[in-house]
Amino acid sequence: MSSAARSSLRGALTLLVFALICTALMSVTWLLTRARVADNEQAARLALLGEALPGIHYDNDPVADAITLPADAAAQLGQATAQAYPAQRLGVTQAVVIEATAPDGYAGAIRLLVGVGRDGRVLALRVIGHKETPGLGDYIEATKSAWSAQFTGASLQSPPESQWALTKDGGRFDYMAGATITPRAVVRAVKAALAVVAARRVMLFGEEGER
Amino acid sequence: MNRSEAREIASNALWKQNAGLVQLLGLCPVLVISSNIVNAVSLGLATSMVMLLSGMAVAAVRDFVPNELRSPIFILIIAALVTMVDLLFNAYAHGLYLVLGIFIPLITTNCIVLARAEAFASRQPVLAAGWDGLMMGLGLTGVLAGLGAIRELAARGTLFSNLDLVFGPVARAWTIHVIPADAGYQFLLASLPPGAFFGLALLITGKKLLDRRAERRAAAPSVPLHTEPA
């Protein structure tokens, strides 16, 4: 074997040894942290769902009991697939959390969780992901301002259909100067979520859903 | 590494050759993540930890690494360490992990990490290399903290917001409102990318001014021509 070939072989073997050692170290770290990471993600999801369900007492795991909505409902919610998370007490669904996406935010899609009670009213609205301008459009986040609280108690009947818009557009919902595209998209998405719940009461709340 | 060497390394890394202000390496995370102190310091400390470990690791294996394979092997080591830090963040500081997001894996591509591995750690004993890495990282953390403070203060009039991501919900009350929260003050530019450039420019200018003053003082005759009030 020529000396060039021998030195490349040695180089390759050196690289291989380093790659194996590094991979082993990463694997060990992954194995050690795996359970905790999974717990964290589950806890974060449950905490978010809990925020969308203020005042609701439930004894089930909404994530484990999640209902996959049919494709047409998902499309209405601006998503390819959509989940509804039922909050049940003694086997009776008290409220559901709907995943919805407003595709028409100022800077792309805005992902929401909408908590809806048995009476078809919004319990709470939580924004879980958006790319709106910081300081301008991000007042939709509950941590940044109380804006999202005005949806609490809203239903498809109240305000009436025509009032489901920003005050600027003749509707019922406030916005803040500087950003109107963002709240407009959110209003539409919340309304879509309520419509999906209204159309699928039997599926979401069971046979004895109140009317 | 004796004491004077250690001091030399530290003063070089923290001030004379500061990664953020003099070498201007690793600017991508510096500019993006410095919109408030908590994010900035967290990423700075994560980078410091990677640099401490990578400095020691590179120095430890330096005799086994053929010269022409330096770069791939150093990058491999750094990437592995960053992956481990990323997993640890995900497990033990989940809130912060969500905020820092892509910037933890991107520590791999932070030039200052590879630069120190190449320029220092590959020629030095393990302890000195680790010390240099840590100090370089802390120098960068200092810049990040300063920039974070300037931008946060200018943008929202607060300091230490988001501390709850590190210490849990209790820490939400620890935010210092320099300008009262209900005044609704905000100066958007400071928290957007241009604010990072302006802030960094201010910091670099400040360092140059201090250096020049120190130089002038050193050059001045030892017996003052006229006495200044103390």
Side-chain angles (χ1 to χ4, degrees), chain B residues 120-146:
Chain B
F120 195 93
S122 63
R123 304 177 190 150
Q124 299 284 339
V126 174
L127 269 184
W131 179 247
D132 174 77
L134 180 64
M135 285 297 129
M136 273 288 166
L138 291 181
L140 189 70
T141 308
V143 176
L144 275 160

Side-chain angles (χ1 to χ4, degrees), chain B residues 5-55:
Chain B
E5 275 170 354
R7 197 171 313 144
E8 176 66 23
I9 289 175
S11 89
N12 230 348
L14 293 178
W15 187 257
K16 282 185 222 149
Q17 289 297 320
N18 185 295
L21 295 181
V22 180
Q23 301 189 52
L24 298 181
L25 286 175
L27 284 192
C28 165
V30 168
L31 293 172
V32 176
I33 214 76
S34 62
S35 57
N36 67 54
I37 300 181
V38 172
N39 293 358
V41 170
S42 307
L43 188 71
L45 291 180
T47 310
S48 307
M49 190 163 128
V50 170
M51 290 189 72
L52 166 73
L53 295 174
S54 75

Side-chain angles (χ1 to χ4, degrees), chain B residues 92-104:
Chain B
Y92 296 101
H94 195 71
L96 207 56
Y97 173 81
L98 296 179
V99 174
L100 296 178
I102 185 67
F103 288 96
I104 303 177

